[in-house]
Amino acid sequence: MNITSAEFFRSASAISGLPEENLPEIVFVGRSNVGKSSLLNSLCGKKGLAKTSSTPGKTRLINYFKINGNLFFVDLPGYGYAAVGQGEREGWGKLLSEYIRERDRISLVVLLVDSRHPGMGSDREMMEFLEYYDRPYCIVMTKYDKLSQSEKAKARKAMESCAANAKFIVNYSSFSGDGRSALLAHLDNFTQ
Ligand SMILES: Nc1nc2c(ncn2[C@@H]2O[C@H](COP(=O)(O)OP(=O)(O)OP(=O)(O)O)[C@@H](O)[C@H]2O)c(=O)[nH]1
Ligand SMILES: [Mg+2]
């Protein structure tokens, strides 16, 4: 797909505040600080669209962005950050798990995994959760620029073996834009 327009649409702090518009939703999830908001900005080619931070736990709400007038990208709060997830049964925010369970217009969940740590327990749990609720998902390996050549091949292999049910896997660097055109081409299949 080619992104011609990307606009902030709305934030919601509860499931009851989600938009009524019946548009497909491509959702970005992953551990806190994995690079979700940066990926959104990189994909849309708009630097300040989603707020990013080097401190984990920046995104606390469900943020909707309208893409090309006919689709939503959804930026969710990260999991695995103690101050956000503590006390929650699955360790993820209540908002995040409710959204994934109940929102039936999700066309694809983009699960972001840090390239330096493929197969972490919390990411595996997220994959199991997505499979249990029958949500189609793909894997984006973020911060790929931080890996050496030999680490890249190793990380990719490790990810492939633990994400056998993912629709596809893409290596990504929001800094260089590597992986952007590959990811956009895949997303094209999930815009209806
Ligand atoms: N080297 C490198 N750093 C990145 C990349 N993407 C994001 N970062 C850095 O990682 C940090 C977190 O990025 P965010 O995009 O805010 O992460 P997030 O997943 O939205 O974080 P929360 O909203 O807190 O869950 C920032 O310091 C970014 O600059 C990347 O592709 N390469
Ligand atoms: Mg964020």
Side-chain angles (χ1 to χ4, degrees):
M1 65 183 289
N2 184 20
I3 296 182
T4 51
S5 72
E7 305 293 341
F8 174 73
F9 183 75
R10 181 190 297 175
S11 291
S13 58
I15 297 294
S16 57
L18 299 182
E20 311 257 302
E21 277 86 346
N22 196 9
L23 296 177
E25 298 181 2
I26 295 181
V27 191
F28 297 82
V29 302
R31 290 174 59 81
S32 276
N33 212 43
V34 73
K36 297 174 294 297
S37 302
S38 303
L39 177 86
L40 264 164
N41 293 341
S42 155
L43 267 184
C44 298
K46 268 193 170 178
K47 266 207 171 127
L49 188 64
K51 292 194 180 63
T52 65
S53 166
S54 54
T55 317
K58 177 69 182 172
T59 308
R60 294 289 185 101
L61 301 169
I62 298 184
N63 294 315
Y64 274 78
F65 301 90
K66 199 178 246 184
I67 306 300
N68 296 348
N70 59 13
L71 163 77
F72 285 123
F73 279 178
V74 184
D75 190 15
L76 290 188
Y79 52 85
Y81 174 55
V84 174
Q86 223 166 31
E88 295 297 341
R89 194 169 51 88
E90 292 118 335
W92 309 320
K94 186 167 169 279
L95 193 57
L96 164 64
S97 41
E98 264 184 19
Y99 171 83
I100 290 183
R101 264 195 329 255
E102 291 175 23
R103 194 69 167 171
D104 48 19
R105 61 192 77 158
I106 295 176
S107 65
L108 179 70
V109 176
V110 179
L111 174 58
L112 281 72
V113 173
D114 192 317
S115 297
R116 294 165 297 174
H117 311 289
M120 279 185 75
S122 55
D123 293 329
R124 286 173 188 263
E125 278 170 33
M126 180 51 86
M127 285 187 254
E128 280 170 20
F129 182 74
L130 294 171
E131 283 166 27
Y132 185 80
Y133 288 102
D134 217 12
R135 299 295 181 213
Y137 68 95
C138 68
I139 304 282
V140 169
M141 298 179 66
T142 64
K143 309 190 185 181
Y144 214 56
D145 52 277
K146 292 205 178 204
L147 268 56
S148 71
Q149 221 45 46
S150 62
E151 288 171 331
K152 282 179 180 170
K154 228 196 231 164
R156 173 81 195 207
K157 230 175 165 182
M159 200 67 246
E160 280 168 9
S161 69
C162 89
N165 295 322
K167 298 280 175 200
F168 59 87
I169 301 177
V170 167
N171 318 319
Y172 206 100
S173 167
S174 293
F175 285 10
S176 71
D178 268 7
R180 181 175 182 272
S181 52
L183 181 55
L184 284 172
H186 280 298
L187 294 186
D188 214 15
N189 300 315
F190 299 92
T191 56
Q192 311 284 335

